[in-house]
Amino acid sequence: MTVSAGPQNANLPTVQPSIGLALGGGGARGLAHILMLEVFDELGVRPKIIAGTSIGALFGAAYASGLSARLIRAHTEEVLTQRLGLARYLLAARSEPVQRFLNILPIRSSLLKPEMLLDLMLPSKVARDFAHTGIPLKIVATDFHAQDQVVLSEGDLRSAVAASMALPAIFTPVSREGRLLMDGGLVNPLPFDVLKGHADIIVAVDVSGAALGQGDPTTPSAFSALVASTQILQRSIVREKLKAQQPDIYVDVEVDEFHVLEFHRYREVMTAAGRAKEHLRQQLQRVLASQTLQPLPPPAPEPLTGLRRKPPRRLTRRRAT
């Protein structure tokens, strides 16, 4: 990519490079995605395409449907405050009802259908079909039987988001088009690679978390260990992916201290993500300033074809007699 600039083009409008945005999975940690979307709104930058996994798929679907980050934030806060009792019942890892159900259910059983979570979390204005989004969207899920990645980009949008969020042992897999789909974080927790070739600049927001050192020496419950193992798997996948290829802008949000299901701590998650928000803002401003294009002047109009010009008349001097 080159920059064409000069005094002769000073009055020409500038053209920004296109941006692809990848929002990763991480449960409650993914509430930090809202702050990253705020940066795009504040800078007046619109992604050309969005890819999302798990909660990244949820917020990606809302943003691609035309909702502003401000409205997404207001809706999320309303859900997690006014409906906090229901949200805790459905989502909190240490919620007594959840623990009680998990203790009596066989390990192969799941507690909830992911559609229940979407009814709670998704604003009503989110598109029902991929075709109705304002920004193209790719959602990553895992094919249970094929044990491989599935990238969904057409058809029913809500079932795609539900499939991408179907964390094993918590949510039932989603049946879609003859396939049984579950959490996309099992195969691609940070799907920036699916955007390759679709935009000039790829931005990836990683909320998978990192190691906390020694931490609490007490033995975790079976449920906590199961959920944590999924997060360890996702973090390992992201680390290996980054060794092979990297996005143009990588944002590692420092939300390590939060449990994947601690949605009731959303205010703390937002506060912790503040530094990452400013980092993304600076990186976007830097990249856009350095790679903004100025189009060349339009070519000179070509001469008309098919018309023969008459030769100029020759002036002759009459001979004097």
Side-chain angles (χ1 to χ4, degrees):
M1 183 176 296
T2 60
V3 178
S4 175
Q8 70 276 15
N9 297 330
N11 296 324
L12 292 174
T14 58
V15 178
Q16 292 180 335
S18 60
I19 294 179
L21 175 61
L23 302 176
R29 297 165 172 174
L31 294 168
H33 286 319
I34 298 174
L35 274 72
M36 309 304 129
L37 296 176
E38 288 177 349
V39 173
F40 282 85
D41 283 352
E42 291 163 6
L43 294 180
V45 177
R46 177 184 173 90
K48 178 184 178 183
I49 187 170
I50 298 174
T53 294
S54 193
I55 193 165
L58 187 150
F59 288 128
Y63 198 67
S65 297
L67 277 73
S68 68
R70 179 181 60 84
L71 290 177
I72 295 172
R73 181 169 188 160
H75 176 82
T76 303
E77 290 180 348
E78 190 271 337
V79 165
L80 298 178
T81 52
Q82 295 186 21
R83 307 181 209 174
L84 187 57
L86 178 59
R88 279 180 173 168
Y89 177 84
L90 290 175
L91 305 171
R94 297 176 183 175
S95 169
E96 184 179 348
V98 173
Q99 290 288 359
R100 187 182 301 122
F101 272 88
L102 287 172
N103 287 335
I104 64 175
L105 290 176
I107 191 64
R108 66 178 178 275
S109 298
S110 296
L111 181 61
L112 301 168
K113 291 187 176 181
E115 292 83 356
M116 296 175 62
L117 176 62
L118 292 188
D119 289 341
L120 179 72
M121 295 292 292
L122 274 182
S124 59
K125 294 183 179 180
V126 171
R128 294 282 176 175
D129 193 282
F130 280 93
H132 300 151
T133 61
I135 300 175
L137 181 66
K138 293 179 178 290
I139 291 179
V140 174
T142 301
D143 187 317
F144 176 76
H145 294 293
Q147 300 182 16
D148 200 3
Q149 169 179 284
V150 176
V151 180
L152 305 169
S153 58
E154 58 184 16
D156 184 76
L157 178 57
R158 297 203 172 210
S159 68
V161 176
S164 186
M165 297 185 66
L167 190 67
I170 299 178
F171 298 111
T172 57
V174 174
S175 179
R176 179 184 166 102
E177 300 173 358
R179 293 180 294 192
L180 205 58
L181 305 179
M182 56 198 306
D183 185 16
L186 298 174
V187 289
N188 197 345
L190 189 59
F192 61 86
D193 54 312
V194 305
L195 298 177
K196 185 177 180 180
H198 293 280
D200 299 320
I201 303 296
I202 305 299
V203 177
V205 182
D206 185 4
V207 293
S208 61
L212 291 175
Q214 295 299 322
D216 189 347
T218 59
T219 302
S221 66
F223 176 62
S224 295
L226 177 63
V227 174
S229 65
T230 303
Q231 290 305 113
I232 293 170
L233 169 66
Q234 294 188 14
R235 188 66 175 180
S236 299
I237 294 174
V238 171
R239 288 290 158 264
E240 290 303 313
K241 281 185 61 177
L242 291 173
K243 291 178 182 178
Q245 57 180 313
Q246 293 189 351
D248 299 286
I249 298 177
Y250 171 70
V251 181
D252 190 359
V253 187
E254 296 179 2
V255 285
D256 315 323
E257 65 179 284
F258 303 102
H259 192 283
V260 63
L261 296 177
E262 289 184 325
F263 283 85
H264 58 287
R265 298 180 65 187
Y266 72 94
R267 288 192 178 92
E268 298 172 66
V269 175
M270 297 287 196
T271 300
R275 181 183 299 180
K277 177 180 179 179
E278 292 309 309
H279 173 71
L280 175 59
R281 185 195 308 278
Q282 294 171 7
Q283 293 298 309
L284 273 177
Q285 289 175 328
R286 177 185 61 80
V287 169
L288 292 176
S290 64
Q291 301 202 29
T292 295
L293 306 180
Q294 277 193 330
L296 294 174
E302 297 181 0
L304 296 176
T305 59
L307 297 178
R308 297 185 61 183
R309 297 178 61 186
K310 295 181 179 180
R313 294 180 60 186
R314 295 182 61 186
L315 297 178
T316 60
R317 182 176 299 176
R318 298 178 63 183
R319 180 177 300 175
T321 58

